Amino acid sequence: MGMSSIELAVHGTGALSADERAVHAILTVTAASSRLAPATPAAAEVLLLDCSSTMLFPRSKAILAREAAIAAVESLSDGVVFAVVGGTSEATMIYPELPELAVASGATRDAAIERIDQMQMRGGTAIGAWLALARDLFATRPEMVGHALLLTDGRDETEALAQLEQVLTSCEGRFGCDALGIGEDYEPTQLRWIVRVLRGRADAVVDESGLAEHFRAIVGTATAEPYPEQTMRIGTMPHTRLRFVRQVEPDHYDLTDRCRPAESGQVDLGTGPLAAPMTREYHVCIDVAPDTQIVFDQDEQVGWVELVGADAARQPIMARWDRALPPQTVLPPAQVRRSDQRAELIDAMRRGRIAYEAQDAASAERDWGKAVALAHALEDSVMLARLGELVEIQDAAAGTVRLRDDLGRSAVLAALVGSAITHRAVPPRPVLGGDPVTCPACSWKSPGGSRFCEACRAEL
């Protein structure tokens, strides 16, 4: 493993009026890249390739899957351990022949490519079985940081969802998994469920001609400078309780139900593997008991966070109440506003899909119009482009749209599965009225005379 270091930070929680009791904060866990090359590779990679019969309709899906898998294998550095698994109603080793991980070299890469060229498409889909085999393969090399890349054109129909859930729970914390859907029959909700538990990313194959390069990039990033999962421990005070934890970067999903009880009311949450340079960003909400005596205009601790067993110091989560703010007022940091907007965007996409499949065009148009307005507010050009495949965008800011007559199912699935991906925009520079004021917390320059930082809402 390289010389990466892990950093933990808590960003400004904003200002609250006297009657507000919900405190929001942003936590970041960052793996900084080392300038030194790793002494020995520490990565394990398993490719989970859908080999069900539906991959033959159209046949181009099977061809693309083979090309992408070959590109991924070719990109593996010497010393990385890997395997290729064919997924149908069961999981089958494509390479190596035995259920073990091979060490990447010129000879093993060539052998794997030969086996990939020969893989056959047949049978059904049981994604839980594929993940279970990946889990068992990674268990043979526990010192390695495991990452799986899953490609499917279908949904888990040949095993009960309870089986998939059980397998996912057994895999959680053991390895990370990214998932890609291809075609028109996969289920975005299922892919996002898988990557939420395994702390990965889900996306759609939008540009089929670029699938091989996409595979190469995902595998290259995951294996270049890996860092094992960190355990984030969150604690509250006697008068506070944790309401929710959401990951908001690099993908947006709620992780509250993945928190594990720890001692004295604390909870532990696994970050999933990290691939330096990388930052995982979390939005936490802590509720303060209604009968708590509020102290104005000074920082009050409502909780804390630390990385278990890491060198990073415990970080307090603070709140500040401002007697000058009107009732029911919260001035949250910019990251919290983005988190709320992304959650609304995901919900609008989901509701739009339900309406569209129920042939309720008016409701689909309304919901996807709201999604357009939110994507515009988030400055998410990638999501706007995907939404542009669903609706004709007449006024993005207002969410004025018209449902496309030539709307295809693959475009709906691509937009839905991609709505959770965080495409960070660079915030615009503020228009300064006088000398700018530098924030002591985040170094953002706000207009002269500002009372609160425009970026993190810290008091200036």
Side-chain angles (χ1 to χ4, degrees):
M1 191 174 301
M3 300 296 292
S4 300
S5 62
I6 301 294
E7 297 179 355
L8 171 68
V10 178
H11 298 276
T13 55
L16 307 170
S17 61
D19 61 333
E20 279 298 325
R21 293 296 184 273
V23 179
H24 297 264
I26 296 294
L27 317 179
T28 59
V29 179
T30 301
S33 182
S34 169
R35 295 182 180 180
L36 303 176
T40 56
E45 182 70 31
V46 174
L47 302 179
L48 302 175
L49 306 176
D50 192 333
C51 293
S52 62
S53 56
T54 56
M55 289 289 285
L56 295 171
F57 306 99
R59 194 173 184 83
S60 60
K61 288 188 293 187
I63 295 171
L64 287 167
R66 289 190 182 96
E67 291 176 349
I70 290 171
V73 168
E74 289 175 339
S75 72
L76 293 172
S77 300
D78 286 353
V80 172
V81 296
F82 75 102
V84 183
V85 171
T88 58
S89 52
E90 58 186 9
T92 305
M93 294 297 300
I94 293 176
Y95 185 84
E97 186 174 352
L98 297 176
E100 60 188 17
L101 295 167
V103 180
S105 66
T108 58
R109 284 191 292 268
D110 288 345
I113 289 169
E114 183 178 352
R115 296 295 298 273
I116 291 168
D117 268 332
Q118 298 170 359
M119 67 184 190
Q120 301 296 311
M121 307 296 169
R122 63 186 186 283
T125 303
I127 297 175
W130 314 353
L131 293 168
L133 179 52
R135 176 200 63 206
D136 295 343
L137 289 168
F138 289 126
T140 67
R141 298 296 297 271
E143 76 280 11
M144 298 293 195
V145 180
H147 174 265
L149 175 54
L150 186 156
L151 175 71
T152 183
D153 79 330
R155 63 190 75 191
D156 204 346
E157 293 180 329
T158 59
E159 62 184 358
L161 288 179
Q163 290 177 275
L164 177 58
E165 183 174 14
Q166 185 177 21
V167 170
L168 282 171
T169 299
S170 72
C171 294
E172 187 173 11
R174 307 283 291 276
F175 63 93
C177 180
D178 293 325
L180 293 173
I182 185 171
E184 299 185 348
D185 295 310
Y186 66 92
E187 176 48 59
T189 304
Q190 193 170 82
L191 292 189
R192 285 180 44 194
W193 176 30
I194 291 168
V195 302
R196 184 178 74 91
V197 176
L198 301 182
R199 313 295 196 269
R201 308 192 72 178
D203 203 356
V205 179
V206 178
D207 177 11
E208 293 187 347
S209 65
L211 180 59
E213 188 55 40
H214 197 26
F215 258 53
R216 191 190 307 271
I218 293 173
V219 170
T221 298
T223 60
E225 199 171 352
Y227 209 86
E229 173 169 287
Q230 304 295 300
T231 298
M232 188 166 57
R233 178 162 294 168
I234 303 172
T236 53
M237 310 305 286
H239 60 290
T240 67
R241 68 175 183 85
L242 181 67
R243 186 195 298 184
F244 66 71
V245 185
R246 301 172 184 160
Q247 179 180 289
V248 295
E249 172 84 19
D251 274 30
H252 191 294
Y253 35 67
D254 195 300
L255 292 172
T256 309
D257 67 331
R258 310 316 299 180
C259 291
R260 305 183 301 274
E263 57 189 39
S264 304
Q266 304 158 13
V267 297
D268 286 348
L269 178 64
T271 63
L274 300 161
M278 178 184 189
T279 295
R280 290 191 186 271
E281 192 170 284
Y282 304 88
H283 173 188
V284 301
C285 179
I286 293 177
D287 288 320
V288 179
D291 58 352
T292 302
Q293 183 67 39
I294 296 301
V295 179
F296 290 101
D297 302 321
Q298 71 180 46
D299 291 334
E300 295 289 330
Q301 186 171 357
V302 296
W304 52 266
V305 60
E306 67 181 3
L307 296 179
V308 178
D311 294 334
R314 175 180 291 189
Q315 301 289 322
I317 300 173
M318 311 297 287
R320 176 178 285 255
W321 281 266
D322 187 337
R323 67 173 73 249
L325 290 176
Q328 299 183 345
T329 298
V330 181
L331 297 179
Q335 299 100 316
V336 170
R337 294 197 298 272
R338 287 198 302 270
S339 171
D340 289 340
Q341 289 172 322
R342 181 66 62 180
E344 290 182 52
L345 171 59
I346 294 169
D347 187 57
M349 287 302 309
R350 179 189 60 81
R351 287 187 283 103
R353 179 200 179 181
I354 292 171
Y356 178 73
E357 292 183 344
Q359 299 184 347
D360 184 352
S363 294
E365 193 171 86
R366 181 193 66 238
D367 291 327
W368 286 341
K370 181 179 180 180
V372 165
L374 289 163
H376 175 79
L378 288 163
E379 299 181 302
D380 189 341
S381 59
V382 175
M383 192 61 207
L384 280 172
R386 293 197 186 183
L387 283 163
E389 298 294 320
L390 311 184
V391 293
E392 296 175 4
I393 301 174
Q394 298 165 351
D395 185 337
T400 305
V401 302
R402 180 181 177 276
L403 204 64
R404 286 192 175 276
D405 296 328
D406 58 347
L407 177 56
R409 178 176 170 79
S410 61
V412 176
L413 300 184
L416 191 69
V417 74
S419 61
I421 299 174
T422 304
H423 303 286
R424 183 176 294 281
V426 177
R429 301 295 293 173
V431 178
L432 303 177
D435 294 335
V437 182
T438 301
C439 175
C442 72
S443 301
W444 178 260
K445 294 184 182 298
S446 295
S450 297
R451 184 174 178 185
F452 297 98
C453 172
E454 288 194 342
C456 74
R457 304 310 301 173
E459 188 170 8
L460 300 174

